[in-house]
Amino acid sequence: MKIYIGSDHAGFELKEILKKHFCAAKEFEDFGTFSNESVDYPDFAHKVAESVVTDPENIGILICGTGNGMAITANKHPNVRAALCWSPEISTLAKQHNNANILVLPARFIDTELAIKTVESFFNAEFEGGRHQNRINKIDLQ
Ligand code: RB5
């Protein structure tokens, strides 16, 4: 399983930290941004979301200042379930109950250690299926 990752300038440093921390365990495909220079978060959210839709066995990580811009944009894509998470408990439930396929982090509102634990929990959690699958089946509008 590959991890598609993207951020804007606000999430750039955390993106680099996460890649470095998890590089032994996970393969990353990085869609940018690649510096602290100001950019527009939808450009990166769309790339990661499109990749997750094309290769559903893979998952995504998106990072911006609040996480909201990335989550709002990614969730425009049918079959994307992007979950804004700021604790390991929330990221675990995002996978167990929502089968989230993109984890979104709020770089300006989470410290590095907590962000790492939040990502680790997301990686380790498994979708529970059952009643949660019935609910997921009702999300997309078409
Ligand atoms: C960038 O300043 C900031 O607006 C962006 O990172 C994000 O928080 C948007 O949702």
Side-chain angles (χ1 to χ4, degrees):
M1 184 187 67
K2 195 193 274 190
I3 316 296
Y4 300 121
I5 193 165
S7 76
D8 70 357
H9 52 288
F12 168 67
E13 280 173 20
L14 180 56
K15 172 168 70 68
E16 297 307 301
I17 289 168
L18 292 176
K19 281 192 305 176
K20 196 171 171 193
H21 185 88
F22 290 104
C23 68
K26 302 286 181 191
E27 182 190 351
F28 287 89
E29 186 168 339
D30 188 348
F31 288 91
T33 188
F34 299 106
S35 78
N36 289 309
E37 193 180 323
S38 184
V39 290
D40 300 329
Y41 58 80
D43 296 336
F44 306 92
H46 286 308
K47 285 180 189 166
V48 168
E50 280 162 11
S51 297
V52 167
V53 171
T54 304
D55 295 307
E57 73 278 10
N58 297 332
I59 60 172
I61 296 177
L62 285 166
I63 314 163
C64 66
T66 62
N68 276 321
M70 290 296 196
I72 290 166
T73 308
N75 280 318
K76 292 287 182 189
H77 294 250
N79 299 317
V80 163
R81 293 174 301 282
L84 175 55
C85 298
W86 56 93
S87 77
E89 293 80 7
I90 294 171
S91 66
T92 297
L93 286 165
K95 176 55 77 179
Q96 289 178 337
H97 288 190
N98 312 114
N99 201 13
N101 48 15
I102 298 182
L103 172 69
V104 186
L105 294 167
R108 289 180 174 152
F109 298 91
I110 190 168
D111 68 36
T112 303
E113 196 185 335
L114 191 56
I116 288 170
K117 285 183 181 155
T118 299
V119 171
E120 197 162 46
S121 297
F122 187 70
F123 287 159
N124 291 337
E126 287 190 16
F127 179 47
E128 290 178 356
R131 69 187 190 281
H132 301 296
Q133 184 61 57
N134 296 338
R135 293 163 186 169
I136 285 170
N137 292 345
K138 295 183 177 184
I139 292 176
D140 279 326
L141 292 172
Q142 78 280 21

PDB file of all heavy atoms in Angstrom, residues 8-10 41 64-66 68-69 108, ligand 1:
ATOM      1  N   ASP A   8      -0.087  22.172   1.537  1.00  0.00           N
ATOM      2  CA  ASP A   8       0.227  23.524   1.076  1.00  0.00           C
ATOM      3  C   ASP A   8       1.438  24.004   1.886  1.00  0.00           C
ATOM      4  O   ASP A   8       2.084  23.215   2.603  1.00  0.00           O
ATOM      5  CB  ASP A   8      -1.001  24.450   1.162  1.00  0.00           C
ATOM      6  CG  ASP A   8      -1.396  24.796   2.591  1.00  0.00           C
ATOM      7  OD1 ASP A   8      -0.771  24.277   3.544  1.00  0.00           O
ATOM      8  OD2 ASP A   8      -2.330  25.595   2.755  1.00  0.00           O
ATOM      9  N   HIS A   9       1.746  25.310   1.785  1.00  0.00           N
ATOM     10  CA  HIS A   9       2.916  25.849   2.485  1.00  0.00           C
ATOM     11  C   HIS A   9       2.792  25.681   4.007  1.00  0.00           C
ATOM     12  O   HIS A   9       3.782  25.413   4.679  1.00  0.00           O
ATOM     13  CB  HIS A   9       3.097  27.333   2.124  1.00  0.00           C
ATOM     14  CG  HIS A   9       1.857  28.136   2.317  1.00  0.00           C
ATOM     15  ND1 HIS A   9       0.773  28.024   1.469  1.00  0.00           N
ATOM     16  CD2 HIS A   9       1.505  29.040   3.269  1.00  0.00           C
ATOM     17  CE1 HIS A   9      -0.191  28.838   1.887  1.00  0.00           C
ATOM     18  NE2 HIS A   9       0.233  29.457   2.969  1.00  0.00           N
ATOM     19  N   ALA A  10       1.572  25.782   4.541  1.00  0.00           N
ATOM     20  CA  ALA A  10       1.380  25.664   5.990  1.00  0.00           C
ATOM     21  C   ALA A  10       1.660  24.248   6.483  1.00  0.00           C
ATOM     22  O   ALA A  10       2.036  24.043   7.634  1.00  0.00           O
ATOM     23  CB  ALA A  10      -0.038  26.080   6.364  1.00  0.00           C
ATOM     24  N   TYR A  41      -4.133  25.455  -1.593  1.00  0.00           N
ATOM     25  CA  TYR A  41      -4.343  24.064  -1.157  1.00  0.00           C
ATOM     26  C   TYR A  41      -5.154  23.197  -2.149  1.00  0.00           C
ATOM     27  O   TYR A  41      -4.871  21.993  -2.266  1.00  0.00           O
ATOM     28  CB  TYR A  41      -4.958  24.007   0.257  1.00  0.00           C
ATOM     29  CG  TYR A  41      -6.280  24.727   0.398  1.00  0.00           C
ATOM     30  CD1 TYR A  41      -7.468  24.142  -0.016  1.00  0.00           C
ATOM     31  CD2 TYR A  41      -6.343  25.998   0.954  1.00  0.00           C
ATOM     32  CE1 TYR A  41      -8.676  24.803   0.101  1.00  0.00           C
ATOM     33  CE2 TYR A  41      -7.552  26.673   1.080  1.00  0.00           C
ATOM     34  CZ  TYR A  41      -8.716  26.064   0.645  1.00  0.00           C
ATOM     35  OH  TYR A  41      -9.903  26.723   0.756  1.00  0.00           O
ATOM     36  N   CYS A  64      -2.860  21.003   5.664  1.00  0.00           N
ATOM     37  CA  CYS A  64      -2.809  22.457   5.485  1.00  0.00           C
ATOM     38  C   CYS A  64      -2.891  23.085   6.874  1.00  0.00           C
ATOM     39  O   CYS A  64      -2.736  22.378   7.874  1.00  0.00           O
ATOM     40  CB  CYS A  64      -3.880  22.957   4.519  1.00  0.00           C
ATOM     41  SG  CYS A  64      -5.582  22.783   5.055  1.00  0.00           S
ATOM     42  N   GLY A  65      -3.096  24.386   6.947  1.00  0.00           N
ATOM     43  CA  GLY A  65      -3.058  25.048   8.251  1.00  0.00           C
ATOM     44  C   GLY A  65      -4.114  24.530   9.205  1.00  0.00           C
ATOM     45  O   GLY A  65      -3.810  24.089  10.318  1.00  0.00           O
ATOM     46  N   THR A  66      -5.360  24.584   8.782  1.00  0.00           N
ATOM     47  CA  THR A  66      -6.462  24.092   9.621  1.00  0.00           C
ATOM     48  C   THR A  66      -6.897  22.681   9.263  1.00  0.00           C
ATOM     49  O   THR A  66      -7.612  22.035  10.031  1.00  0.00           O
ATOM     50  CB  THR A  66      -7.710  24.983   9.446  1.00  0.00           C
ATOM     51  OG1 THR A  66      -8.123  24.894   8.068  1.00  0.00           O
ATOM     52  CG2 THR A  66      -7.433  26.422   9.822  1.00  0.00           C
ATOM     53  N   ASN A  68      -9.073  22.209   7.051  1.00  0.00           N
ATOM     54  CA  ASN A  68     -10.404  22.334   6.458  1.00  0.00           C
ATOM     55  C   ASN A  68     -10.383  22.511   4.941  1.00  0.00           C
ATOM     56  O   ASN A  68     -11.201  21.925   4.235  1.00  0.00           O
ATOM     57  CB  ASN A  68     -11.177  23.479   7.110  1.00  0.00           C
ATOM     58  CG  ASN A  68     -11.861  23.026   8.387  1.00  0.00           C
ATOM     59  OD1 ASN A  68     -12.366  21.917   8.446  1.00  0.00           O
ATOM     60  ND2 ASN A  68     -11.873  23.886   9.394  1.00  0.00           N
ATOM     61  N   GLY A  69      -9.476  23.329   4.435  1.00  0.00           N
ATOM     62  CA  GLY A  69      -9.418  23.538   2.993  1.00  0.00           C
ATOM     63  C   GLY A  69      -9.154  22.230   2.252  1.00  0.00           C
ATOM     64  O   GLY A  69      -9.801  21.934   1.232  1.00  0.00           O
ATOM     65  N   ARG A 108      -1.247  23.732  11.786  1.00  0.00           N
ATOM     66  CA  ARG A 108      -1.077  24.860  12.702  1.00  0.00           C
ATOM     67  C   ARG A 108      -1.739  24.625  14.055  1.00  0.00           C
ATOM     68  O   ARG A 108      -1.685  25.492  14.929  1.00  0.00           O
ATOM     69  CB  ARG A 108      -1.626  26.141  12.059  1.00  0.00           C
ATOM     70  CG  ARG A 108      -0.756  26.637  10.905  1.00  0.00           C
ATOM     71  CD  ARG A 108      -1.302  27.895  10.265  1.00  0.00           C
ATOM     72  NE  ARG A 108      -0.366  28.410   9.273  1.00  0.00           N
ATOM     73  CZ  ARG A 108      -0.729  29.124   8.197  1.00  0.00           C
ATOM     74  NH1 ARG A 108      -1.998  29.410   7.980  1.00  0.00           N
ATOM     75  NH2 ARG A 108       0.181  29.553   7.340  1.00  0.00           N
TER      76      ARG A 108
HETATM   77  C1  RB5 B   1      -3.097  29.059   4.402  1.00  0.00           C
HETATM   78  O1  RB5 B   1      -2.823  30.282   4.984  1.00  0.00           O
HETATM   79  C2  RB5 B   1      -4.339  28.440   5.037  1.00  0.00           C
HETATM   80  O2  RB5 B   1      -5.481  29.162   4.655  1.00  0.00           O
HETATM   81  C3  RB5 B   1      -4.470  26.998   4.629  1.00  0.00           C
HETATM   82  O3  RB5 B   1      -3.326  26.319   5.015  1.00  0.00           O
HETATM   83  C4  RB5 B   1      -5.626  26.233   5.236  1.00  0.00           C
HETATM   84  O4  RB5 B   1      -5.708  26.419   6.603  1.00  0.00           O
HETATM   85  C5  RB5 B   1      -6.918  26.393   4.570  1.00  0.00           C
HETATM   86  O5  RB5 B   1      -7.899  25.720   4.881  1.00  0.00           O
END
